Amino acid sequence: MATLTIDGKTITVVEGTSVLDAARKLGISIPTLCHHPKLSPYGGCRMCIVEIKGIARPVTACTTPVSEGMEVSTSTPYLEKLRRTILELILSDHPNDCMVCEKAGDCVLQELAYFYGLRENRFAGERRIYAKRDGNPLIERDMEKCILCDKCVRVCDEVQRVRAIEIAYRGFKSKVCPPYERDLDCEFCGQCIRVCPTGALTGKKWALKGRQKDIKEVDTICPYCGCGCNLTLNIRKNEIVRVTSKEDTLNEGWLCSKGTFGYHFVNSPERLKNPLIRIAPKSSEFGVRSSELKEKLQTQNSKLKTQNSKLFREATWDEALDLAAKRFREIKEKHGHDSIGALASARCTNEENYLFQKFMRAVIGTNNVDHCARY
Amino acid sequence: MKTEKNDIKIKVCMGPGGIATGGADVIKVFKDDLASANIKAKIGKGCSLHKVGCFGLCARDVLVDVIVGKNKTTYQYVKPDMVPRIVKEHLIENNPVSEWTVGDDYYSFYNKQIKVVLSEFSEVDPEDIDTYTAVGGYEATKKVLTKFTPEKTIAIIKKSGIRGRGGAGFPTGVKWEICRKVESDQKFIICNADEGDPGAFMDRAVIEGNPHSVIEGMIIGAYAIGATKGYVYVRAEYPLAVERLTIAIKQARGKNLLGENILGTKFNFDVRLKLGAGAFVCGEETALIASIEGQRGMPRAKPPFPVHSGLWGKPTVINNVETLANVPYIIRKGADWFSSFGTEKSKGTKVFALTGKVKNTGLIEVPMGILLREIIYDIGGGIEGGKAFKAVQTGGPSGGCIPAELVDINVDYESLAKVGSIVGSGGMVVLDDTDCMVSIAKFFLEFTQAESCGKCVPCRVGTKRLLEILDRITAGKGREGDIELLEDLGNDIKLSSLCGLGQTAPNPILSTIKYFRHEYEAHIKEQKCPAKVCKDLIEYGILEEFCKGCGACLRVCPSKAITGEKKKPHIISVDVCIKCGACFDVCKFKAVKKE
Amino acid sequence: MLEVSPEVEKKLDGVLQKHITDEGNIISLLQDMQEAFGYIPEKAVGWFSKKLDIPESRFYGVITFYSQFHTHPRGRNLITACCGTACHVKGSERLINSLRRELNIVEEEDTTDDRKFTVEKVACIGTCSMAPAVIINKKIYGNMTADKLMKMVKTLEGKKNED
């Protein structure tokens, strides 16, 4: 343990703790752009510089470990002046288009510019100009807004273990890009969007769907697999416009591609809302349906709907469940209980899967229970 | 005469300068001629033809020492076609070719120098370990491994007072001591030979001239700190240094100076070469480590320092080439001997690469604390072409300019820091009154800006902005307040950058503003470049009264801006002129004016 | 992955073997690749990425960081002008500009269209005492002037035409 004072307040923390973390424990806020508590420290943005008694030049709080008896100042006129210059430099190479930026209102850079009252810029000069060229349908990469904080690169490497992107070139020409500046070709987990402090990385799916302040948050569990990640549905006008996750959850705020981008089924017009009972016999014509491409489906949509109405009729849950139970009983009586087998789903929770096998064993009377992931 | 002839030695400078000016060809012709003149037969084995490292005075390359018995004659500017006459008149007829030998000024170049690191350059064939051991090489290794404990070795180095020669000047012994005390299953020693300062070639010369001294320094350092593996990180732009180091390492392994159970002791140590790939920032310790690990050479924040957590997270000492090359001499001759040179806080000697507008350019080694005046006037022979001495740039892109009025300062870590410059790695570029200080500052900023790794904001964006401001000043578009803006931004960058590159990048600007503010003001307020360097602020014209109409300028002009009939004064069309200066350089009658 | 021909594959394999036996890292691997091909072909990077299970992005980051690496083929004649301080004060900039003009090399490029010449700058090569210095096809020439340089370039051009 080490005891130190930060802005006159004393705190004892575990050795190896960074000055930044110690300060945050004391409720002292130090501005950062490249720091993320779950990623390795970087020390690139220089916003978190602090003064430590006995050290001649300011050091970054995020990279400096505490030591016994350290005396830290986090906000002196001298430090604030340096921070202001650093911000001014960042903004001198950043598009001034907050009014149309997807990130406005939720942007760390914008927030800092506001607090430091930066309207004029003494250093206006050449800006990096990049053509947007990504063809992917999910992640918008506006590299002119990138401040090279390296968070996306680190999250891709350290959390996702994909390393689809890297900082290429050096100096003023540095640029975060996929190899050979090809189109992004990755898992599309969207972690990079999650950590980006500016509007450089945003989701194409929720572009122009509303500012963060208009969003109503609803916490839920991801329906996709048994991991049970916590989701926060971002709802505006009774529509899910985005899915996020909070950091103090079991999944630590990280989500996969499906959790992040796969929420459109909720509002899909094709979604089944009532049970259907078949009224005409099966036809092979529709067997291909699941493998059809989405576009093709859309063109066929209306056709299918009319066909569906000839094949199925809507029913109540009671009616549908009664029918299923009746048929199960018939099969069991005719062919024996082991003629029935069932596959559970990874998308179900543990509790649901438990109930499922219980149902199969105790009610149907068979051990033919397995899991879809094995097939 | 016969007996004297039995002892003929010919030494051809094969330092960077010598090689570039054709040293190899000179050696070849010597070999052929000696063979065909049958001298070899007459003199038997006594004649040896040496390749030696840098003689120092590179401006006069190729330099050749011809030693007959005890008489040494030095020839300068030797070309292969001069060799037959030297062989014939000097070696056969015993009559040195006096018109080609060096004059007194050649010796004045050496008089004020004290050579430690460079002391054996003219004796040692860098590609032959035996010539190094013949002058006492590897004795220090033997002494340390068999007689001294690591602690005793460190104590000697500490006592000598040697400080890192790479620029920062951290006491070497202290660095070793800290690393010694860290407990670890594996430690490393790295020789930093990533000399990237534009205008510095000391490390290159030391490696090319006496690679074994560096390896010996590494062995001793490794023993002291407890390392079993070492790396030399050397610039790929120095192919000869790489070649000679490779040979030297192989030879040292052959003599059991590297490898297992060195010299019969229980000490194991081996050295590997790692080639840099062209990034100045890799001279910074943590970036260098990243580069050896095969990553982008991006520095990281310190602490932890490499002595605690360096290469692959293991304790690592990184020493500069010159520092390590000093180590064997300190061990051999003692700490007291070493600390007898230099000043109270800056001990020993320092190698400088003296270049720019002095008469004698080359590699020099001087005691710390020598007067700048002595370097420029006594060793350098004063300014070339009778122009006025204006300033000395030391420390390359991290350093600053020392103006002529401070020529009487001592050259050591403290004194140079006091006037806003640094010793740095040892580049010393002398400037005369035709050099524009704003443009010099701009040159260095262009360099650091291009070499910035881009990790931290102040260096990545800040140096770019500094450069843009300098660009507009040298283009005559400077604004009121630009000088203050440069100072303000410069200071902020120094304080807030991540590594040494950014922390020192503004120095060339700040020091030139400090001493040559009027030049900046002239550019901004009067749109004039006092030294007549900045293209956008000058115009070329022809002085009719001097122009002979020879047509030389007309022929060299790339943009066909010059017109005129033969033997009549020519005219430069200002609209077409691209201000390349070719006409100015070519005119023998000084008829082209710049204003 | 991009297809590579059997000859190229053989070359790549040689580099790979050296890399494995020689405790190499990405940088030395790329240096060997450049030595083998004269530049670093994108295909070769893809090949190694797969063989060594190292993401291509790491290679690309390193290639673009270090100025020694080239992603495109270079000219048959390589002319490198030293731009260290000493060379700079002795007019290296002017040398480069006149050479580029002479060879019609457009801005942002460093190689002539016919791939005969590549002109580039290098940070100090440590021959400051004979500034300005130029390296032509690995040989260093000191005390260079624009005139001398043009003549040397012309002889190079002539030689190549005879081939």
Side-chain angles (χ1 to χ4, degrees):
Chain A
M1 300 299 271
T3 304
L4 67 156
T5 58
I6 305 176
D7 294 343
K9 294 180 195 164
T10 306
I11 186 170
T12 305
V13 290
V14 185
E15 226 138 319
T17 309
S18 71
V19 172
L20 182 68
D21 287 343
R24 288 191 173 168
K25 269 191 185 147
L26 280 170
I28 295 167
S29 85
I30 299 174
T32 61
L33 282 163
C34 71
H35 178 76
H36 190 287
K38 304 247 163 63
L39 302 175
S40 59
Y42 189 63
C45 77
R46 316 303 293 169
M47 286 302 288
C48 71
I49 46 172
V50 293
E51 281 184 89
I52 294 175
K53 204 172 166 189
I55 298 179
R57 64 172 67 249
V59 296
T60 40
C62 66
T63 60
T64 308
V66 296
S67 62
E68 184 61 39
M70 211 177 224
E71 286 176 48
V72 184
S73 308
T74 68
S75 179
T76 60
Y78 161 80
L79 287 172
E80 296 301 346
K81 176 184 182 277
L82 291 179
R83 285 187 188 138
R84 208 188 136 84
T85 301
I86 293 163
L87 260 187
E88 210 175 342
L89 286 171
I90 296 175
L91 291 169
S92 74
D93 186 28
H94 191 88
N96 195 4
D97 63 358
C98 294
M99 51 284 265
V100 292
C101 181
E102 192 57 42
K103 193 81 172 179
D106 187 28
C107 171
V108 189
L109 186 60
Q110 191 186 40
E111 194 76 353
L112 286 172
Y114 164 77
F115 278 115
Y116 283 86
L118 281 167
R119 177 170 268 272
E120 307 294 317
N121 199 313
R122 293 175 292 161
F123 310 124
E126 188 191 328
R127 263 211 308 112
R128 295 163 295 155
I129 304 294
Y130 296 134
K132 282 187 206 169
R133 49 165 280 183
D134 263 275
N136 80 75
L138 301 174
I139 300 177
E140 182 77 47
R141 298 172 67 244
D142 186 350
M143 286 299 117
E144 290 179 19
K145 290 179 184 165
C146 172
I147 59 165
L148 291 153
C149 69
D150 195 57
K151 276 192 202 172
C152 53
V153 177
R154 278 176 286 154
V155 82
C156 192
D157 183 26
E158 295 170 15
V159 174
Q160 208 64 22
R161 294 276 166 202
V162 170
R163 209 159 179 164
I165 45 174
E166 171 74 290
I167 295 184
Y169 305 97
R170 69 180 182 213
F172 193 72
K173 291 184 186 138
S174 300
K175 182 181 187 181
V176 175
C177 58
Y180 290 93
E181 297 177 56
R182 299 181 200 127
D183 276 0
L184 193 60
D185 178 16
C186 64
E187 293 180 354
F188 292 102
C189 61
Q191 312 288 39
C192 51
I193 301 177
R194 209 156 287 128
V195 296
C196 182
T198 72
L201 297 172
T202 52
K204 287 183 180 170
K205 295 282 179 197
W206 52 88
L208 305 175
K209 294 275 190 183
R211 296 281 192 217
Q212 208 61 29
K213 67 172 174 51
D214 302 325
I215 296 289
K216 191 180 127 200
E217 292 190 346
V218 176
D219 290 339
T220 183
I221 305 290
C222 180
Y224 274 104
C225 78
C227 286
C229 293
N230 288 260
L231 300 185
T232 301
L233 305 179
N234 293 208
I235 293 165
R236 181 170 175 259
K237 291 186 182 163
N238 207 30
E239 186 195 344
I240 302 175
V241 294
R242 184 181 174 182
V243 174
T244 53
S245 182
K246 290 173 181 162
E247 281 176 22
D248 54 355
T249 55
L250 76 101
N251 51 301
E252 302 189 348
W254 308 128
L255 292 177
C256 74
S257 177
K258 290 185 276 184
T260 307
F261 296 110
Y263 54 86
H264 289 82
F265 69 91
V266 176
N267 295 326
S268 169
E270 278 185 68
R271 185 176 154 190
L272 288 183
K273 289 173 183 160
N274 294 303
L276 297 180
I277 292 178
R278 184 179 290 279
I279 49 176
K282 255 188 195 170
S283 150
S284 60
E285 194 190 330
F286 303 104
V288 292
R289 190 182 150 169
S290 61
S291 62
E292 288 282 18
L293 291 170
K294 199 186 165 194
E295 300 138 66
K296 219 171 167 188
L297 264 178
Q298 270 165 350
T299 57
Q300 290 179 346
N301 217 1
S302 54
K303 199 174 144 204
L304 276 168
K305 262 187 189 159
T306 49
Q307 278 170 339
N308 273 350
S309 64
K310 283 180 200 159
L311 297 169
F312 300 96
R313 69 171 173 82
E314 280 198 2
T316 64
W317 280 103
D318 280 348
E319 192 187 353
L321 285 171
D322 282 350
L323 176 65
K326 188 179 137 229
R327 290 286 296 128
F328 269 132
R329 196 173 295 126
E330 282 170 17
I331 294 167
K332 196 174 143 184
E333 275 162 13
K334 195 169 170 193
H335 302 286
H337 38 73
D338 278 339
S339 63
I340 299 174
L343 298 179
S345 168
R347 289 179 53 165
C348 299
T349 60
N350 282 340
E351 293 81 353
E352 285 164 340
N353 275 324
Y354 174 81
L355 285 174
F356 181 79
Q357 63 84 29
K358 192 84 181 168
F359 167 77
M360 289 306 290
R361 292 185 219 273
V363 179
I364 303 283
T366 179
N367 286 329
N368 293 341
V369 186
D370 215 322
H371 181 267
C372 69
R374 303 216 316 165
Y375 293 90
Chain B
M1 293 311 274
K2 284 257 169 191
T3 49
E4 274 178 46
K5 273 199 180 175
N6 276 337
D7 198 17
I8 293 178
K9 271 188 191 162
I10 293 163
K11 293 177 179 171
V12 180
C13 173
M14 289 292 274
I19 287 187
T21 39
D25 293 340
V26 172
I27 288 195
K28 191 175 172 293
V29 181
F30 259 115
K31 274 188 179 156
D32 292 350
D33 264 44
L34 289 172
S36 65
N38 227 4
I39 291 186
K40 205 175 177 181
K42 276 184 203 160
I43 54 177
K45 285 180 183 168
C47 172
S48 59
L49 191 61
H50 264 308
K51 289 182 229 174
V52 297
C54 192
F55 276 14
L57 192 56
C58 308
R60 307 204 182 163
D61 272 324
V62 176
L63 288 163
V64 177
D65 278 351
V66 176
I67 305 160
V68 180
K70 281 178 184 165
N71 298 324
K72 185 170 102 175
T73 313
T74 305
Y75 292 97
Q76 58 186 6
Y77 307 114
V78 178
K79 299 250 171 326
D81 55 8
M82 292 157 70
V83 174
R85 199 175 141 195
I86 296 175
V87 171
K88 182 169 173 279
E89 295 183 14
H90 191 158
L91 294 179
I92 300 175
E93 294 161 13
N94 211 13
N95 210 356
V97 191
S98 55
E99 60 195 277
W100 292 341
T101 57
V102 294
D104 289 344
D105 53 343
Y106 175 78
Y107 298 102
S108 75
F109 177 76
Y110 292 104
N111 281 346
K112 294 249 168 165
Q113 298 194 48
I114 292 176
K115 300 208 171 184
V116 175
V117 172
L118 306 182
S119 60
E120 278 143 8
F121 267 41
S122 57
E123 306 299 323
V124 171
D125 177 345
E127 293 173 16
D128 182 0
I129 190 170
D130 293 329
T131 61
Y132 179 63
T133 45
V135 293
Y138 288 112
E139 269 169 25
T141 305
K142 229 172 271 171
K143 202 163 160 185
V144 165
L145 293 189
T146 55
K147 289 188 189 143
F148 296 167
T149 60
E151 286 73 20
K152 168 115 196 249
T153 313
I154 290 171
I156 295 170
I157 299 299
K158 263 178 90 175
K159 194 173 170 216
S160 76
I162 185 170
R163 293 164 63 175
R165 297 298 195 237
F170 190 81
T172 307
V174 176
K175 198 188 255 183
W176 288 9
E177 189 173 41
I178 299 170
C179 194
R180 172 85 215 163
K181 285 180 180 161
V182 181
E183 281 195 23
S184 174
D185 55 339
Q186 171 87 65
K187 291 179 194 175
F188 296 102
I189 185 164
I190 297 174
C191 169
N192 184 351
D194 190 47
E195 174 181 63
D197 282 21
F201 53 92
M202 300 75 48
D203 294 349
R204 169 186 185 146
V206 171
I207 292 179
E208 290 178 1
N210 196 353
H212 286 289
S213 65
V214 181
I215 293 172
E216 186 171 13
M218 286 183 81
I219 300 170
I220 296 167
Y223 175 74
I225 62 166
T228 54
K229 262 191 182 174
Y231 290 90
V232 183
Y233 186 86
V234 59
R235 279 179 89 195
E237 285 92 336
Y238 288 176
L240 185 67
V242 173
E243 191 189 316
R244 288 190 174 161
L245 263 176
T246 312
I247 296 172
I249 291 173
K250 213 185 217 170
Q251 290 177 342
R253 280 186 194 142
K255 301 248 175 201
N256 190 221
L257 289 156
L258 291 175
E260 301 203 339
N261 302 324
I262 294 172
L263 300 175
T265 64
K266 282 185 182 160
F267 178 59
N268 304 329
F269 177 66
D270 205 2
V271 173
R272 294 179 67 94
L273 270 186
K274 284 279 171 192
L275 299 198
F280 174 68
V281 71
C282 289
E284 198 278 342
E285 299 188 310
T286 56
L288 189 151
I289 288 172
S291 186
I292 292 186
E293 290 173 353
Q295 300 169 30
R296 290 164 58 83
M298 312 265 265
R300 61 157 177 77
K302 294 184 276 194
F305 289 91
V307 281
H308 293 286
S309 172
L311 190 60
W312 291 297
K314 303 289 182 188
T316 304
V317 157
I318 301 174
N319 284 138
N320 158 272
V321 171
E322 194 188 331
T323 317
L324 289 168
N326 267 303
V327 168
Y329 297 97
I330 296 173
I331 300 290
R332 242 193 277 166
K333 302 187 179 178
D336 293 332
W337 166 82
F338 184 83
S339 61
S340 67
F341 307 115
T343 64
E344 197 199 329
K345 285 186 174 165
S346 305
K347 299 290 184 200
T349 59
K350 173 83 191 91
V351 180
F352 287 98
L354 183 62
T355 60
K357 308 287 179 65
V358 277
K359 280 185 196 135
N360 300 328
T361 58
L363 202 65
I364 63 168
E365 183 168 359
V366 291
M368 285 277 188
I370 190 176
L371 293 182
L372 185 59
R373 174 186 294 282
E374 293 174 281
I375 294 182
I376 291 171
Y377 290 100
D378 299 338
I379 298 173
I383 304 299
E384 212 182 21
K387 289 181 183 134
F389 169 46
K390 187 173 187 177
V392 183
Q393 209 285 339
T394 67
S398 317
C401 287
I402 302 164
E405 60 264 29
L406 294 177
V407 73
D408 285 311
I409 64 161
N410 301 94
V411 177
D412 57 57
Y413 292 109
E414 280 71 29
S415 309
L416 291 199
K418 217 181 280 168
V419 299
S421 189
I422 57 169
V423 171
S425 55
M428 208 175 244
V429 184
V430 180
L431 306 170
D432 67 19
D433 55 4
T434 62
D435 289 308
C436 164
M437 300 315 281
V438 186
S439 182
I440 291 289
K442 191 177 121 186
F443 166 76
F444 282 114
L445 251 291
E446 272 170 3
F447 179 82
T448 36
Q449 204 264 318
E451 295 295 338
S452 163
C453 82
K455 183 170 179 177
C456 78
V457 176
C459 180
R460 180 180 75 236
V461 191
T463 57
K464 171 87 181 164
R465 300 298 174 234
L466 286 176
L467 182 59
E468 283 171 348
I469 299 169
L470 287 176
D471 265 335
R472 67 176 181 245
I473 293 177
T474 53
K477 291 174 188 150
R479 303 170 198 156
E480 189 75 26
D482 270 354
I483 301 177
E484 292 72 19
L485 191 58
L486 283 173
E487 287 177 313
D488 191 49
L489 177 57
N491 278 319
D492 287 354
I493 293 173
K494 280 182 75 160
L495 289 168
S496 58
S497 287
L498 170 62
C499 82
L501 188 132
Q503 288 162 6
T504 58
N507 284 353
I509 299 182
L510 298 176
S511 82
T512 47
I513 292 181
K514 185 170 171 191
Y515 297 113
F516 300 94
R517 199 182 186 96
H518 54 278
E519 280 196 37
Y520 281 82
E521 282 165 353
H523 281 77
I524 296 170
K525 290 183 185 150
E526 300 153 39
Q527 276 87 51
K528 281 224 158 73
C529 174
K532 293 177 185 152
V533 171
C534 297
K535 248 188 184 185
D536 294 312
L537 304 181
I538 51 169
E539 232 171 53
Y540 286 90
I542 287 175
L543 297 161
E544 278 185 34
E545 61 272 36
F546 294 113
C547 181
K548 305 269 192 257
C550 71
C553 56
L554 190 146
R555 282 191 295 277
V556 296
C557 178
S559 60
K560 300 198 168 58
I562 304 178
T563 50
E565 288 175 39
K566 259 200 174 161
K567 302 207 169 156
K568 281 184 187 162
H570 290 10
I571 296 165
I572 298 178
S573 162
V574 181
D575 302 333
V576 190
C577 176
I578 56 165
K579 299 171 185 174
C580 70
C583 53
F584 186 85
D585 292 342
V586 81
C587 183
K588 288 182 191 134
F589 310 104
K590 297 202 166 143
V592 179
K593 61 174 178 177
K594 243 196 313 193
E595 48 184 27
Chain C
M1 193 171 83
L2 300 152
E3 288 294 312
V4 290
S5 66
E7 306 97 83
V8 173
E9 178 121 27
K10 210 177 153 198
K11 247 182 175 176
L12 293 170
D13 225 31
V15 175
L16 181 68
Q17 289 315 319
K18 187 180 171 218
H19 173 76
I20 292 167
T21 52
D22 211 28
E23 187 204 295
N25 61 29
I26 287 195
I27 295 173
S28 45
L29 181 64
L30 288 168
Q31 282 167 336
D32 291 342
M33 251 193 259
Q34 184 148 296
E35 187 68 34
F37 295 94
Y39 72 107
I40 295 169
E42 190 175 335
K43 279 183 186 178
V45 169
W47 191 87
F48 278 106
S49 163
K50 198 148 201 193
K51 286 271 174 194
L52 298 168
D53 199 20
I54 298 171
E56 267 186 286
S57 62
R58 277 201 65 197
F59 284 97
Y60 191 64
V62 170
I63 293 168
T64 53
F65 185 85
Y66 295 99
S67 58
Q68 194 193 64
F69 297 126
H70 303 284
T71 49
H72 293 287
R74 341 226 38 231
R76 287 188 292 275
N77 293 294
L78 191 57
I79 303 168
T80 315
C82 175
C83 287
T85 319
C87 292
H88 174 77
V89 296
K90 293 208 171 170
S92 59
E93 197 70 25
R94 211 183 290 162
L95 281 181
I96 296 173
N97 290 342
S98 51
L99 186 61
R100 292 176 64 97
R101 248 193 329 265
E102 181 77 20
L103 296 172
N104 279 323
I105 299 175
V106 291
E107 232 172 288
E108 306 272 308
E109 288 288 331
D110 56 9
T111 303
T112 53
D113 291 339
D114 55 6
R115 280 222 197 117
K116 237 180 217 165
F117 294 99
T118 292
V119 177
E120 60 180 16
K121 298 179 184 180
V122 63
C124 195
I125 52 167
T127 52
C128 311
S129 51
M130 26 191 282
V134 173
I135 309 173
I136 302 178
N137 296 331
K138 292 193 173 172
K139 205 166 170 221
I140 304 172
Y141 299 90
N143 301 317
M144 194 46 82
T145 64
D147 262 6
K148 268 203 246 175
L149 186 57
M150 293 315 150
K151 269 180 205 147
M152 298 176 92
V153 167
K154 285 215 171 98
T155 46
L156 281 176
E157 212 169 6
K159 262 186 208 156
K160 290 290 159 184
N161 285 342
E162 282 160 26
D163 295 343

